[in-house]
């Protein structure tokens, strides 16, 4: 488990002052589960980098974790904890760089708020929710995210990618802010924590995230994951972050954001919507049209994100549109919200002037509802006539169907699906779209990766070529 932080700020060795660790020494500290070592692979006036290396003793760790309440079993002896940055790294940051994270630097106080070009590299990190989630949490904080996804096995490359990434995060900011972001977000990435949580965790979260979480578009996802989906703690933290008062009998989640655990059985769809929303946030779009919006689940998420000034849902089905009105509490919306939102009936197989001038469009689990021979009409409506800068498309990965016990071979996941594509078929379609309409594209998996059949859902992100 290795974190390095590098800077080219002049003089780069200021980093040593800020971190209270001398560049010429290797220092070691005892932490929960093992040891943390701090050293400087390079320390010149031009470039300085500090490394925080954790040595986690997996066997000792299991012993330490064996409390009367814990359900740690033998399988935990064989775990990935020693290799991946997670809550251990977060704990090590707070233990080893406490002064820097809390903004103390007696010798050079002016450095505390000094913004510098910083690059943090996490040698390996496990990310539940994949690259989309990684970007969704770091990019709104100003980071440029470079993520390298590791394949599961170099010999069996067709097993596909793992959920492990090497991540580079670049930003210009004060070191205390970088450390606070890492402290809060590392345990959020893999969604696993090595200790039991209590109200004390809420205090830590507010202390480290209080400055930047309130305006983060994914604050609820972050808070929930940080607090391991413990509902009452999440509510407490969200109330403090959003300055609202909790009532005794307030047992509804504070918002209907898709991360709500009570809808676990629909996790995959929420994950899809979450990933699509993250892509839309990153695209910088201010106006979005949700094509085949159904009952408005994506719109409900987008509404909570201030970046989106105009959110339009279109569907062919009046029944679905009525459900969307209910879900979005149309009758109770303020005039300002009503100005932002539009629901309209229309078919994607016809050219429609109302679809022009959107920055981005979403087609979430829609294409597979069209007969293949009508898909070409949808393609022209979206990519030739509406031609938004970004289009995000999701569809099932049919290879994954073998994992669903209830499906016999050749069955589709939904009665109304007219086709379901393999990863290769989806990639071939995306390639065709990109050539025909002048878009570049990238395909991401959505959902838990299976080494043989990939992820349950697949997402293509199209960008209009300029
Ligand atoms: N995007 C929504 C709903 C997916 S279900 C979600 O992710 O929750 C597919 C939706 O596509 C249905 O609501 C269906 O009415 C709509 N649809 C199917 N064919 C369509 C067409 N030709 N034009 C517009 N919408 C269509």
């Amino acid at each position: 488990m290795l974190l390095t932080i590098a800077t080219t700020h002049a003089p780069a060795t200021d980093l040593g002052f800020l971190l209270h660790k001398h560049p010429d020494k290797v220092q070691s500290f005892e932490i929960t589960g093992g040891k943390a070592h701090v050293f400087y692979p390079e320390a010149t006036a031009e470039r300085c980098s500090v490394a925080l290396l954790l040595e986690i003793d997996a066997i000792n760790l299991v012993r330490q974790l064996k409390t009367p309440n814990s359900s740690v079993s033998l399988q935990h002896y064989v775990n990935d904890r020693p290799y991946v940055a997670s809550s251990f790294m977060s704990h090590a940051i707070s233990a080893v760089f406490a002064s820097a994270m809390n903004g103390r630097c007696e010798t050079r106080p002016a450095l505390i708020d000094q913004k510098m070009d910083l690059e943090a590299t996490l040698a390996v990190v496990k990310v539940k929710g994949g690259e989309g989630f990684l970007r969704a949490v770091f990019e709104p904080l100003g980071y440029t995210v470079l993520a390298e996804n590791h394949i599961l096995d170099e010999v069996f490359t067709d097993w596909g990618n793992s959920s492990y990434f090497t991540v580079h995060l670049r930003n210009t900011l004060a070191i205390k802010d970088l450390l606070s972001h890492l402290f809060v977000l590392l345990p959020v990435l893999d969604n696993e924590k090595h200790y039991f949580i209590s109200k004390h965790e809420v205090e830590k979260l507010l202390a480290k995230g209080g400055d930047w979480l309130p305006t983060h578009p994914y604050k609820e996802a972050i808070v929930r994951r940080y607090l391991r989906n413990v509902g009452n703690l999440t509510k407490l933290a969200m109330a403090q972050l959003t300055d609202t008062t909790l009532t005794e009998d307030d047992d509804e989640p504070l918002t209907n954001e898709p991360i709500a655990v009570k809808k676990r059985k629909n996790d995959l769809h929420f994950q899809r919507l979450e990933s699509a929303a993250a892509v839309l946030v990153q695209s910088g779009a201010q106006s979005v049209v949700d094509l085949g919006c159904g009952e408005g689940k994506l719109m409900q998420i987008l509404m909570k994100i201030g970046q989106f000034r105009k959110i339009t849902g279109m569907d062919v089905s009046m029944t679905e549109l009525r459900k969307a009105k209910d879900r979005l509490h149309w009758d109770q919306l303020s005039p300002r919200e009503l100005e932002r939102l539009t629901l309209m009936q229309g078919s994607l197989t016809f050219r429609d002037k109302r679809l022009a001038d959107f920055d981005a469009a979403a087609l979430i689990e829609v294409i597979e509802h069209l007969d293949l021979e009508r898909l070409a009409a949808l393609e022209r409506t979206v990519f030739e006539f509406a031609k938004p800068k970004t289009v995000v498309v999701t569809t099932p990965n049919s290879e994954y169907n073998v994992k669903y016990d209830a499906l016999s071979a050749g069955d589709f996941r939904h009665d109304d699906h007219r086709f379901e594509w393999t990863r290769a078929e989806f990639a071939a379609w995306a390639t065709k779209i990109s050539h025909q309409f002048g878009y570049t594209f990238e395909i991401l998996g959505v959902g838990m990766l299976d080494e043989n059949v990939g992820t349950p859902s697949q997402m293509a992100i199209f960008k209009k070529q300029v």
Side-chain angles (χ1 to χ4, degrees):
M1 231 196 260
L2 177 68
L3 163 72
T4 51
I5 299 174
T7 185
T8 49
H9 161 83
T13 39
D14 275 356
L15 194 62
F17 282 104
L18 271 165
L19 295 173
H20 301 248
K21 300 285 174 286
H22 199 287
D24 293 341
K25 285 195 218 151
V26 176
Q27 286 177 269
S28 300
F29 307 83
E30 296 287 336
I31 57 155
T32 317
K35 277 197 173 131
H37 309 283
V38 180
F39 56 95
Y40 288 75
E42 54 187 338
T44 65
E46 291 75 43
R47 190 179 156 90
C48 181
S49 63
V50 63
L52 175 58
L53 175 71
L54 299 194
E55 248 187 302
I56 300 294
D57 177 343
I59 295 181
N60 221 346
L61 181 66
V62 177
R63 294 207 182 108
Q64 283 185 23
L65 290 179
K66 265 201 175 294
T67 69
N69 299 326
S70 87
S71 57
V72 177
S73 66
L74 197 63
Q75 65 166 359
H76 290 77
Y77 279 97
V78 188
N79 58 37
D80 63 5
R81 303 289 86 195
Y83 313 109
V84 297
S86 67
S87 48
F88 289 108
M89 186 53 94
S90 169
H91 166 66
I93 290 172
S94 70
V96 175
F97 297 137
S99 306
M101 185 159 65
N102 295 325
R104 282 198 303 271
C105 184
E106 266 103 54
T107 43
R108 305 272 302 278
L111 283 180
I112 295 166
D113 293 313
Q114 172 78 51
K115 290 192 177 169
M116 34 180 101
D117 290 334
L118 292 170
E119 175 169 350
T121 301
L122 293 153
V124 200
V125 67
K126 182 176 179 183
V127 188
K128 266 201 192 133
E131 191 172 336
F133 187 78
L134 188 67
R135 290 182 182 282
V137 296
F138 281 103
E139 286 183 345
L141 297 167
Y143 289 89
T144 304
V145 178
L146 270 171
E148 190 192 328
N149 196 184
H150 296 290
I151 55 173
L152 263 175
D153 194 302
E154 290 188 355
V155 179
F156 302 101
T157 47
D158 52 350
W159 286 1
N161 283 335
S162 67
S163 43
Y164 297 93
F165 292 82
T166 298
V167 178
H168 303 273
L169 302 163
R170 291 194 195 122
N171 201 355
T172 304
L173 77 178
I175 190 94
K176 67 174 173 29
D177 295 329
L178 171 70
L179 294 174
S180 301
H181 295 158
L182 293 174
F183 175 84
V184 171
L185 296 176
L186 289 182
V188 160
L189 291 182
D190 74 359
N191 208 13
E192 284 168 26
K193 269 185 140 200
H194 64 273
Y195 46 84
F196 292 95
I197 56 165
S198 63
K199 273 195 175 163
H200 183 53
E201 287 299 308
V202 176
E203 285 157 27
K204 277 208 268 179
L205 175 66
L206 295 172
K208 301 295 183 287
D211 287 346
W212 51 273
L213 264 176
T215 52
H216 196 297
Y218 279 90
K219 58 177 170 291
E220 177 153 2
I222 293 168
V223 169
R224 269 186 199 287
R225 282 193 177 201
Y226 186 92
L227 298 171
R228 289 187 71 188
N229 292 323
V230 178
N232 56 352
L233 293 183
T234 304
K235 262 190 282 169
L236 183 68
M238 284 301 289
Q240 300 203 31
L241 285 171
T242 53
D243 247 351
T244 42
T245 321
L246 273 184
T247 56
E248 278 287 310
D249 56 355
D250 183 4
D251 57 9
E252 271 300 294
L254 282 174
T255 77
N256 297 322
E257 277 197 20
I259 308 90
V261 274
K262 66 177 190 175
K263 299 248 170 158
R264 245 187 211 300
K265 71 174 175 19
N266 270 331
D267 263 0
L268 175 63
H269 194 48
F270 288 134
Q271 225 174 321
R272 238 183 237 132
L273 298 167
E274 234 185 285
S275 304
V279 167
L280 294 168
V281 168
Q282 286 152 32
S283 75
Q286 298 194 346
S287 55
V288 177
V289 60
D290 184 13
L291 303 169
C293 62
E295 53 189 88
K297 289 180 179 158
L298 181 65
M299 293 178 76
Q300 194 181 20
I301 299 170
L302 301 182
M303 264 173 80
K304 302 204 173 87
I305 303 173
Q307 171 183 328
F308 302 116
R309 303 236 174 102
K310 180 176 161 199
I311 304 162
T312 298
M314 179 173 127
D315 205 285
V316 74
S317 154
M318 281 310 286
T319 316
E320 292 302 305
L321 289 168
R322 259 179 236 118
K323 284 191 208 160
K325 275 201 163 175
D326 283 348
R327 174 177 285 277
L328 302 173
H329 303 293
W330 204 262
D331 301 338
Q332 294 155 39
L333 293 177
S334 67
R336 230 175 102 226
E337 283 169 316
L338 284 171
E339 230 170 80
R340 253 177 110 206
L341 297 179
T342 309
L343 280 172
M344 59 196 199
Q345 201 227 352
S347 171
L348 289 163
T349 50
F350 296 99
R351 181 178 183 172
D352 190 329
K353 289 210 177 78
R354 297 172 300 173
L355 302 180
D357 299 327
F358 283 94
D359 297 332
L363 279 162
I364 308 302
E365 306 295 288
V366 173
I367 56 171
E368 66 276 7
H369 288 266
L370 274 88
D371 290 323
L372 269 172
E373 56 273 23
R374 300 180 71 202
L375 191 59
L378 172 144
E379 291 165 8
R380 293 193 69 195
T381 305
V382 177
F383 294 97
E384 184 178 334
F385 301 123
K387 48 175 192 305
K389 286 197 233 24
T390 303
V391 183
V392 48
V393 181
T394 74
T395 195
N397 162 21
S398 65
E399 291 164 81
Y400 199 90
N401 290 354
V402 292
K403 306 269 292 174
Y404 295 117
D405 292 340
L407 280 186
S408 330
D411 275 0
F412 292 147
R413 287 183 210 175
H414 192 289
D415 289 346
D416 192 45
H417 285 181
R418 310 301 161 90
F419 62 88
E420 284 177 359
W421 280 335
T422 62
R423 285 171 288 179
E425 285 168 327
F426 188 46
W429 177 75
T431 308
K432 187 201 84 169
I433 295 289
S434 81
H435 291 156
Q436 194 175 343
F437 301 107
Y439 277 79
T440 58
F441 74 93
E442 179 190 358
I443 293 186
L444 304 174
V446 181
M448 191 70 108
L449 179 78
D450 176 90
E451 54 195 34
N452 297 314
V453 294
T455 52
S457 195
Q458 37 190 352
M459 169 185 282
I461 304 162
F462 293 95
K463 297 273 178 192
K464 182 90 190 127
Q465 279 171 323
V466 279

